[in-house]
Amino acid sequence: MDHPAIYIVLLLGIVFIAPMLYMHLSTFTAVGKAAPDLSSLVNDQRDESQAIYIFFMSDKCSMCRAMTPHIESLQQQYKNLYTVNINQEPKLSRGFHVLGTPTLVAVENSKIKKMKLGKLSRHNIESFINT
């Protein structure tokens, strides 16, 4: 206990970094799992093999508010891009293992193909959709 500052730094690291690591780990473990029922989000006439992209956001999230104009303009171009407010659809959010916002999810053949947690630029959102 000669250097209490080291313990304080370690404690702060655990308190602030561990939750972020857990959220990122959750996105990695969700990839490849079956997607929950999307009937409340998309119409029944879509092709199951066509990818669906879901933007999970929250009204209180500043990064989500920064991404929302990009998502809304891209929804004109990509009809398979949907927005889900986690406060209004908590069950759907839990089904996708979304623990933090903003999160972008790709679903293909009823499986979670990929996920991205955190703020993305318009270019990175388009790149996520097109790859």
Side-chain angles (χ1 to χ4, degrees):
M1 291 243 190
D2 292 347
H3 301 287
I6 292 173
Y7 295 111
I8 293 171
V9 169
L10 286 173
L11 180 63
L12 289 174
I14 291 169
V15 168
F16 291 106
I17 295 173
M20 285 299 289
L21 290 174
Y22 180 71
M23 284 188 286
H24 283 282
L25 181 63
S26 177
T27 62
F28 291 125
T29 59
V31 172
K33 292 186 178 178
D37 181 30
L38 297 171
S39 60
S40 65
L41 192 61
V42 299
N43 63 26
D44 295 331
Q45 298 180 15
R46 71 173 182 85
D47 180 11
E48 282 291 321
S49 64
Q50 181 187 17
I52 295 173
Y53 302 96
I54 307 166
F55 172 60
F56 288 94
M57 53 82 67
S58 172
D59 294 328
K60 297 179 182 180
C61 169
S62 62
M63 291 185 291
C64 299
R65 286 193 302 268
M67 282 179 64
T68 298
H70 301 307
I71 294 290
E72 289 174 348
S73 68
L74 288 169
Q75 284 175 326
Q76 304 301 317
Q77 182 180 353
Y78 300 100
K79 300 300 181 191
N80 56 340
L81 176 59
Y82 300 91
T83 300
V84 172
N85 187 324
I86 65 164
N87 300 319
Q88 296 170 356
E89 298 280 349
K91 188 175 179 181
L92 186 61
S93 303
R94 282 191 304 272
F96 277 100
H97 307 277
V98 173
L99 299 177
T101 57
T103 300
L104 197 56
V105 178
V107 177
E108 195 171 298
N109 295 321
S110 299
K111 291 195 184 269
I112 300 172
K113 181 180 176 186
K114 57 185 174 177
M115 295 178 76
K116 184 71 176 168
L117 172 66
K119 184 180 174 186
L120 299 172
S121 66
R122 181 186 175 97
H123 173 74
N124 288 343
I125 297 168
E126 285 184 292
S127 192
F128 182 88
I129 292 171
N130 293 320
T131 58

